[in-house]
Structures are given as C-alpha cells and as structure tokens.
Amino acid sequence: MDETQCLRMIRASLAPSTGCTEPAAIALNAATARRAARGTVTQVTARLDAYLFKNAMGVGIPGADERGVDLCVALGITAGDADAGMNALHTVTAEQLAAAKALRGCVKVEIVDGVSGLYIETILRTDCDAVRVVTVGAHDHIALVEHAPFTEAPAEQESVEEGGAHCGSLAEFIAFADTVALDKLAFLRDALTMNRTIYDRAMSDELAHCVLPKITLDDPSLCASAKRMAGAASYARMHGVPLPGSDARMNGCELPAIILSGSGNQGITLFLTVDAAARYFSIPEEKELRAIALAALANVYIKSFIGPLSSVCACGVASGLSASLGVVYLLGGGEGEMVQAARNILGSVSGMICDGAKEGCASKVALSAGLAVEAACLALEG
C-alpha cells in the first residue's frame, strides 16, 4: 500500500460523533427522512439489524434523560440535524426532547431478519407524504432517500471506511508510520485533542470512580493511567455528563468524540491508550502521532474482517490490539514484538463479548487499555 492509500484509510475511518454511534446513526437516518417529508408526522417505522438494535437499546442518548431505540428515532425527527453527520444530536433543547417523547407513541421499531451488515431503515409517513431512508454498510452512509411508492432496499455492502483494507500488511503499516511527513498527520493531533477533552471533562466531573476502584485511581503506574484515561472517557460518553445549565444528569455526553471504524469507544481506547504511554515515557509528539497512525491502520484492517458491528467486543480485539502495537512502536519495538504483543492481548480478550452499548462498555475499555499496555511491555521483554 502506498502513502496515499494509507492516509485515505485512516481519514475515512475517523469522524466526530456526539454520543454513542448507534443512537447517532439512527437519529441521522430519521432526521434525513423528516427533512425530506412534507406535512405532519403520523407514523414512523424504524427497521434495524440485530447488532445495531443491541447497541442502541440501552445506551444514553445526547440531551435525553431516558433511553430506547424509539426515543432515538423520535429525537432524530424533532431535534436531528441531517447535515451534521454523526453529530446529528449535537443540540437538543428541552422543547425538542418533550416533542420527541410525545412522538414515541407513533414510532414502531422492528429488527430486520436475514441481514448480516449494518442496516437502518426509516419509513416516515405524514398526512400528505411518505419517505423512506436506508443506511447500509457504515453508520453515516445513507444509501437511499425516496418518496412512495418505494423500491427494493439497497443491497448490503462492505463498510465504506473499511473497503479495501484487506490488502494491507503490518510491515506496510510500519513503513508508512516511519516515513509519512508529519504535517500529513496533523488531523490525528486534532482527533487526539478531541478525545483528551472527553477525558478531562470526565475527570473534572469525577466520573472515573464509576469505572475504577480507588486503588487504581491512586496508582501512578502506566497500566493504571491507561485504564483511567480510556475508562473515564468512555464512561462520560456512554452515561453522559451534565449539559451546561442543566440540573438533571443527561444520559448522552454532548461533547463529541472521535470515532474509529464506527465506534467512539474504539477511538477512545486506541487514542488514549497510546497517549497514556506517550505521557508516561515523555515521548515526543511526532513519535506519538506516528504510533497512532500505525495503530489506526491496524484497527481498520482488523475491522474489515469482523465488520462494523459484531458479537465480540472490538474495543479488545481491534482497538486494544491496535493500541498495543502503537505502544510497541512508541517504545522502539519492531514487527516481531508487535506480532507477539498481538498474541499476548488476544490470549486475554478474545472471549469478551459485546452485550450492547451501555456504561459497562467503560469497564471493557479500561480493561482493554490496561491489557494493551501489558501485552506490549511483555513483548518488549521477550
């Protein structure tokens, strides 16, 4: 793979997202349907693949004090910004939330059988119109917007950001990280800053204790630091931090995070684990950005095989593993040590399942971050 291909793969896999990616994707789809439809909404049907439904049913929603897929759909209609991509719920007012709750009774949610990839379909009917919107392959890839009479659904397709990733190799990813001009990685600095902001907010709101015990919070070691940074940031996204001027705790963080291959928790795991190691060892920024670039390529490669959503926790087998490779790179290791680090962490996390997005994800993120560091250090020690 050449430098242009590598940069394109990384850029395509990254995007800012407000709140968990599944509610954001559902809201974006519904917001697109509402924008296209004329008249007053009378009935809404949302059809989702089983994995996406699993990840959306119990997680916090930005600006909302309740949860549920039907509320994700309704908020997309009353508050969603169809032009904001995965930031579709970046501004939710009290009035819009109230309107969404009133609309929930008109929303029907169904699981689509027989699809293996990411799939969202909203059929929105009004007093004078009917619109259908379909998302396939990637959380923000809206493949169809049509008015009745409706056609057949688009065929499932490979994830947009992961297409072509099968052809890469670890040796090529290392060569890219070693040689790419630093100014071409400036976008990774911006992404890292965004995820650091989530962590800083989580710590200022004392959310880390919801994920980790005091003995870990007080531990200055590298493993504990990685668990603290990644775990606290993940909890802030999954549960939420108070919205400015709000007395109640909202259940979806209004601060955007950088998602990686469709997952904010993967972005947090990868970026903040490598960042914890770079801070601990006082690694120069240039080396850290190169390590993140290598790790991001590895993550896209892995996700191209397991898909955008799956039954295994990708924070472990994808971003945890990839972060471990990044830590090896930071500390001067080569391909052999990276392969051993991958074996080390897969021996620890390969059985960790995804049982749906929620606060418990923060525990899995913290676990993956700590194991990523340990796997890298074990490999470097032979």
Side-chain angles (χ1 to χ4, degrees):
M1 297 183 68
D2 61 25
E3 180 180 288
T4 300
Q5 289 176 299
C6 289
L7 286 169
R8 184 169 60 245
M9 279 174 57
I10 298 173
R11 284 185 176 276
S13 72
L14 300 176
S17 175
T18 302
C20 180
T21 48
E22 277 69 48
I26 293 169
L28 173 62
N29 184 287
T32 303
R34 183 63 189 104
R35 182 175 64 181
R38 296 172 288 106
T40 302
V41 178
T42 59
Q43 183 183 31
V44 185
T45 301
R47 305 177 71 239
L48 316 172
D49 73 87
Y51 287 129
L52 194 137
F53 178 86
K54 161 182 65 76
N55 279 2
M57 63 184 292
V59 72
I61 307 168
D65 54 359
E66 297 179 19
R67 307 185 183 201
V69 175
D70 56 348
L71 185 57
C72 296
V73 176
L75 264 179
I77 293 170
T78 65
D81 182 349
D83 294 320
M86 296 298 286
N87 281 320
L89 295 179
H90 61 99
T91 55
V92 177
T93 67
E95 292 76 16
Q96 290 169 331
L97 176 59
K101 289 181 179 180
L103 184 62
R104 290 176 88 169
C106 299
V107 177
K108 180 181 179 182
V109 178
E110 301 175 347
I111 296 176
V112 181
D113 294 324
V115 297
S116 58
L118 187 153
Y119 186 88
I120 308 169
E121 177 184 0
T122 298
I123 298 176
L124 189 152
R125 300 185 186 279
T126 74
D127 53 0
C128 61
D129 200 0
V131 172
R132 177 170 174 250
V133 176
V134 178
T135 300
V136 292
H139 291 75
D140 59 351
H141 183 231
I142 294 176
L144 177 70
V145 179
E146 64 175 352
H147 293 262
F150 302 136
T151 61
E152 290 295 318
E156 295 176 64
Q157 56 184 287
E158 190 174 25
S159 173
V160 174
E161 71 266 26
E162 292 159 4
H166 290 351
C167 62
S169 71
L170 182 55
E172 290 173 317
F173 299 161
I174 295 170
F176 166 77
D178 284 341
T179 60
V180 63
L182 185 61
D183 63 335
K184 295 182 179 179
L185 300 180
F187 68 99
L188 292 179
R189 182 187 301 112
D190 297 336
L192 176 59
T193 298
M194 188 174 291
N195 283 356
R196 280 175 174 170
T197 300
I198 290 277
Y199 164 67
D200 291 339
R201 179 67 176 274
M203 295 305 290
S204 68
D205 288 344
E206 300 182 348
L207 296 179
H209 74 277
C210 298
V211 185
L212 300 166
K214 190 174 186 298
I215 190 172
T216 304
L217 295 180
D218 293 339
D219 185 349
S221 70
L222 171 56
C223 287
S225 296
K227 293 174 73 172
R228 188 163 53 246
M229 290 184 68
S234 173
Y235 187 87
R237 284 192 75 248
M238 307 309 288
H239 180 73
V241 296
L243 291 171
S246 173
D247 293 327
R249 290 188 62 81
M250 296 292 105
N251 290 320
C253 182
E254 84 281 8
L255 294 174
I258 283 294
I259 63 175
L260 179 62
S261 295
S263 166
N265 277 334
Q266 287 178 58
I268 284 171
T269 302
L270 189 148
F271 277 84
L272 295 186
T273 301
V274 175
D275 192 41
R279 292 186 182 197
Y280 186 85
F281 291 109
S282 300
I283 303 294
E285 181 186 69
E286 175 178 349
K287 187 77 170 181
E288 179 176 6
L289 293 181
R290 294 182 184 280
I292 290 174
L294 164 69
L297 284 170
N299 198 88
V300 173
Y301 178 84
I302 295 166
K303 287 299 296 291
S304 73
F305 289 94
I306 67 176
L309 298 171
S310 104
S311 58
V312 299
C313 179
C315 293
V317 300
S319 53
L321 187 159
S322 301
S324 190
L325 305 187
V327 174
V328 171
Y329 185 90
L330 276 180
L331 301 181
E335 183 176 3
E337 288 88 355
M338 291 180 195
V339 170
Q340 189 55 46
R343 290 172 176 156
N344 289 342
I345 191 167
L346 284 180
S348 303
V349 302
S350 57
M352 189 160 66
I353 65 167
C354 173
D355 59 341
K358 55 188 179 303
E359 287 85 347
C361 293
S363 179
K364 295 176 182 177
V365 166
L367 179 66
S368 298
L371 289 170
V373 169
E374 289 184 344
C377 292
L378 277 169
L380 290 165
E381 292 174 11

